[in-house]
Amino acid sequence: MSMFVRRNVTAAAPAALVALVLLTAGCAGGRPDPAAAKPGSATSAPEHGYVEGARETAEQQSRLLLNDPATGDTRVLDLITGKAHEVPPAKGTAELTTDGRFGYFHTAAGTRVLDAGAWTVDHGDHVHYYRAAIRDVGRIPAGTGARVRSDAVMTAVTGADGRAVTYRRTELEKGRVGASRTLPGTRAGAVVPYAGHLLGLTGDGQGAAARLAVHDRAGGRSTAPHATCEDPMGDAVTRRGVVFGCADGALLVGDDDGRLTAERIPYDGDVPAEERARSFRHRAGSDTLTAPAGDRAVWVLDVAERTWTRVETGPVVAANTAGEGSALLVLETDGALHGYDVATGRRIARTEPLLAGEQRPATGGRGPVIEVDRSRAYVNDPEGRRVYEIDYNDGLRVVRTFALDVKPELMAETGR
């Protein structure tokens, strides 16, 4: 197995310097008054950004969650040290998702929660990076098809039947699932915590378009902007709001100084059902989303510009992008990773085949995917039992290859 320490990469060194400066300057306003310490205490209260049991670092602490559903073998690959940590198995996982810190292993018997021990806290004007011990949190009673969405306060779990419950994030951070609170009604898609609210799409089940419904964190109804979404499919949280995929494009729900807004981002013309964006992938913190557009093209949704771009590619297995002018990354059935210029649609880079044999598009969350962070992309090779690290700013150069003792059929990145 590769045991190399991750080197400073594009934007990483400046980011580390900025983080150090902000830790000493940007957070100074949160420094407690020593006089506020408890009587008899030799030290003051914890400073702003402090997290009990975690170590703060100057750079992002990325880790990959890897799982083989057939055997249950599960690993956490630390991308800083190159070491793969063995954790309790999760057999029969149908889908592996993450909210940036916790991994959710969706099985027929419930959803297992794993604290990957790496996460980012974004305060807007500065960022904190943390690493801590990896630990098993427990199991959420929601089986295959459940959708889990989180913010810094709440975790919402929407079952395949459309019923939703919420959990307190602080309980998960303490290593336990905790009690749940049921939200009234059923949903046509995932419930998404956002800007102090819980957003969801609900309908009457008679074929009418789903309506935007908003609840507060206690489950009470809140005022919602009038908005509908026909045939809801997929969702994503960006800095500009929550995106819900719809038959005619996307619905963007944003926050305007405490007031929720809703705006449509339509396709440029009619799009056949089989070519609509049904699931989104993007770099955490980016406003650029990707989604397959049928078998041989990819949609790129620029939320900032409110535009859809269809990029004609080869047969698509997986797609993603870092956004903000970066290339569209497409893993195609030839086993190679291809880079496309979104503006022109021209292919600008290609690797040698990374995956052996003819590939098929991932189904049900299984198979090769592309995870993207601030400077690297990661591609899992299940049959080859390895993960590739790609520098997408340097002609798709393969930086490291991680040999594994498990078949990484499922992969998700944490620490973001």
Side-chain angles (χ1 to χ4, degrees):
M1 179 182 300
S2 298
M3 297 295 290
F4 299 103
V5 176
R6 187 178 187 181
R7 297 177 179 175
N8 288 337
V9 292
T10 303
L17 291 175
V18 170
L20 287 172
V21 171
L22 290 171
L23 286 173
T24 58
C27 294
R31 186 182 300 275
D33 184 346
K38 295 180 180 180
S41 172
T43 61
S44 62
E47 295 185 10
H48 166 68
Y50 169 82
V51 176
E52 185 177 0
R55 180 166 65 88
E56 188 163 5
T57 67
E59 65 175 338
Q60 183 171 298
Q61 303 296 296
S62 298
R63 293 175 177 176
L64 295 177
L65 304 180
L66 306 165
N67 175 261
D68 179 354
T71 64
D73 290 336
T74 305
R75 301 289 185 270
V76 179
L77 177 59
D78 189 322
L79 296 170
I80 301 297
T81 66
K83 181 180 179 180
H85 300 268
E86 184 175 354
V87 296
K91 192 172 183 179
T93 303
E95 186 179 10
L96 170 59
T97 60
T98 182
D99 57 17
R101 173 175 177 175
F102 297 95
Y104 301 96
F105 297 76
H106 304 268
T107 75
T111 297
R112 175 188 163 200
V113 185
L114 179 73
D115 185 346
W119 68 95
T120 298
V121 178
D122 188 347
H123 288 296
D125 61 341
H126 65 282
V127 179
H128 297 273
Y129 303 111
Y130 296 100
R131 62 185 293 123
I134 302 165
R135 58 180 175 180
D136 194 32
V137 175
R139 190 175 297 272
I140 292 173
T144 305
R147 289 146 291 184
V148 182
R149 306 291 185 265
S150 302
D151 67 3
V153 178
M154 304 292 295
T155 293
V157 181
T158 310
D161 60 0
R163 298 180 182 179
V165 298
T166 61
Y167 296 87
R168 291 184 180 275
R169 179 82 169 188
T170 52
E171 293 297 294
L172 297 181
E173 293 169 353
K174 293 176 182 177
R176 54 180 180 261
V177 171
S180 65
R181 182 193 298 269
T182 301
L183 284 180
T186 57
R187 305 302 188 283
V191 169
V192 183
Y194 174 72
H197 298 87
L198 297 166
L199 311 182
L201 296 168
T202 183
D204 58 13
Q206 302 301 315
R211 301 181 302 276
L212 176 65
V214 179
H215 290 77
D216 59 31
R217 284 174 172 160
R221 290 296 293 264
S222 296
T223 302
H226 177 72
T228 60
C229 178
E230 183 179 348
D231 191 17
M233 57 196 100
D235 58 88
V237 178
T238 73
R239 288 186 177 275
R240 298 179 185 271
V242 178
V243 173
F244 293 100
C246 308
D248 63 349
L251 174 66
L252 172 64
V253 182
D255 176 41
D256 182 10
D257 197 22
R259 182 179 65 88
L260 292 179
T261 62
E263 180 181 354
R264 309 195 76 81
I265 308 177
Y267 294 122
D268 185 16
D270 293 333
V271 175
E274 64 274 13
E275 297 181 6
R276 297 170 186 165
R278 295 190 169 274
S279 62
F280 298 105
R281 294 190 71 87
H282 70 307
R283 176 181 62 80
S286 169
D287 290 327
T288 306
L289 309 181
T290 66
D295 296 330
R296 302 182 64 89
V298 174
W299 287 113
V300 178
L301 172 58
D302 187 327
V303 180
E305 298 296 327
R306 311 294 200 265
T307 58
W308 291 90
T309 301
R310 180 186 170 102
V311 179
E312 301 295 335
T313 65
V316 179
V317 175
N320 210 331
T321 184
E324 300 174 359
S326 296
L328 168 65
L329 305 179
V330 183
L331 184 65
E332 301 184 12
T333 54
D334 61 0
L337 184 66
H338 301 249
Y340 291 87
D341 182 276
V342 176
T344 65
R346 183 172 64 90
R347 190 176 70 185
I348 56 177
R350 178 185 181 275
T351 68
E352 294 298 320
L354 302 176
L355 284 65
E358 186 77 5
Q359 301 299 312
R360 296 180 179 180
T363 57
R366 295 191 182 190
V369 297
I370 305 170
E371 289 284 359
V372 178
D373 60 29
R374 295 186 317 143
S375 58
R376 295 289 192 258
Y378 298 91
V379 176
N380 57 318
D381 177 10
E383 295 302 323
R385 294 182 176 234
R386 56 198 167 203
V387 170
Y388 295 97
E389 180 181 73
I390 310 292
D391 186 344
Y392 54 76
N393 289 315
D394 189 15
L396 304 186
R397 177 173 60 92
V398 177
V399 180
R400 292 185 291 179
T401 300
F402 298 96
L404 303 167
D405 63 347
V406 300
K407 184 177 179 179
E409 189 76 33
L410 299 173
M411 181 177 77
E413 184 178 2
T414 65
R416 300 175 296 181

